[in-house]
Amino acid sequence: AYSVKADGKELERLDRPPSASGKAGFYSRDNGETVINIGNSDWETVDINLGKMDMPNLMLEASVNNNEFKSAIDVDWYTSYQFSAADSSDIIVTLKDAAALSSVVVKWTYQNAVSYKLETSEDGQNWIPAAEVTEGYGGIETYMLDGAKVKYLRISDVEGADGRSPMLYELEAYADVTAVTESDSVLPGGEYIE
C-alpha cells in the first residue's frame, strides 16, 4: 500500500511490521504484503491507496558463487534450487552494490529446511547473523535487517526434515522502501507497481 487512512485520518508508514498491541500504522514490503494496525476497533472506514512504489529486489542484479542457485534469485516462482546433502558448501550471494537493507525474504517450497543460517556481510570477511533457524516450518520467512549495510548474503548449514533435500524457490533482498511519483526515476532493480 502507498497510503492507508482510517476514518479519513492518514496512518503512519512504519519501518517494520506492526504488532497487534503496538503502534498504529502500516508497513509495506511489496504490493502483495501490507501489514496494518489500526489500533482501536471503533473505526468505520479504511481506505487503502495502492499508488506507485519503488520496491527494488536487489537480487535482480546479484551474482552467486553457485550457478544453479541463480534459479532462486530469478524472481520466477516456477524455478527453485534444491540443496544437496552431499554439497555442504555455503551459498554466497553478492549484491551489485552494498545497500542498506530493510529485509531479506526466504521462500521455501513444500520441501523446506528445518534448520539453516542466514548471515550478512559488508566486506565478505566479517559475517553478522541475520537468522539462525533451528525449527523451521517453511513457507515465506521475512527477516528484518533495520537498514544494515550489506554487500554479501550467506546461507549455510541447510538441513531438511527426515533426510529430504530442501528446496528454495526465491531469496529476496529489499532496500528501504521509497514512495515515488511517476516523474521520479526507479532505483536499479525496482519497478513501478500499480
Side-chain angles (χ1 to χ4, degrees):
Y2 178 76
S3 65
V4 177
K5 292 181 181 180
D7 288 336
K9 181 182 176 195
E10 187 95 21
L11 295 181
E12 179 183 349
R13 176 185 298 279
L14 304 174
D15 61 359
R16 66 181 56 240
S19 65
S21 61
K23 184 177 186 178
F26 73 100
Y27 171 81
S28 291
R29 182 184 55 79
D30 62 33
N31 213 31
E33 179 182 57
T34 297
V35 181
I36 302 170
N37 180 13
I38 297 175
N40 62 27
S41 61
D42 62 352
W43 49 269
E44 292 181 19
T45 62
V46 176
D47 297 310
I48 300 173
N49 178 357
L50 296 180
K52 294 186 175 185
M53 295 178 65
D54 184 32
M55 293 162 282
N57 175 0
L58 301 179
M59 291 298 179
L60 294 174
E61 297 182 314
S63 60
V64 64
N65 69 333
N66 177 329
N67 264 352
E68 292 179 18
F69 193 79
K70 287 181 181 179
S71 61
I73 60 171
D74 62 0
V75 195
D76 183 349
W77 291 13
Y78 296 105
T79 63
S80 61
Y81 173 77
Q82 186 163 18
F83 289 88
S84 167
D87 181 16
S88 61
S89 60
D90 298 346
I91 300 292
I92 299 175
V93 178
T94 305
L95 301 178
K96 181 179 177 188
D97 298 305
L101 296 187
S102 64
S103 63
V104 172
V105 182
V106 182
K107 298 180 177 182
W108 297 101
T109 69
Y110 65 96
Q111 281 184 226
N112 63 289
V114 293
S115 64
Y116 65 95
K117 291 179 185 174
L118 176 66
E119 299 168 294
T120 64
S121 174
E122 190 173 356
D123 60 9
Q125 302 296 316
N126 300 299
W127 295 93
I128 300 169
E132 186 166 347
V133 177
T134 58
E135 295 180 13
Y137 296 103
I140 298 173
E141 301 169 324
T142 301
Y143 301 103
M144 304 308 295
L145 299 183
D146 299 325
K149 189 88 168 192
V150 175
K151 171 81 174 171
Y152 305 92
L153 290 109
R154 176 168 67 184
I155 297 179
S156 62
D157 302 332
V158 179
E159 293 183 22
D162 302 322
R164 292 178 297 144
S165 296
M167 295 174 66
L168 182 70
Y169 73 87
E170 206 64 45
L171 178 66
E172 301 170 352
Y174 291 95
D176 291 329
V177 175
T178 306
V180 297
T181 65
E182 281 188 51
S183 62
D184 290 335
S185 60
V186 178
L187 293 173
E191 60 182 275
Y192 284 118
I193 304 294
E194 295 192 72

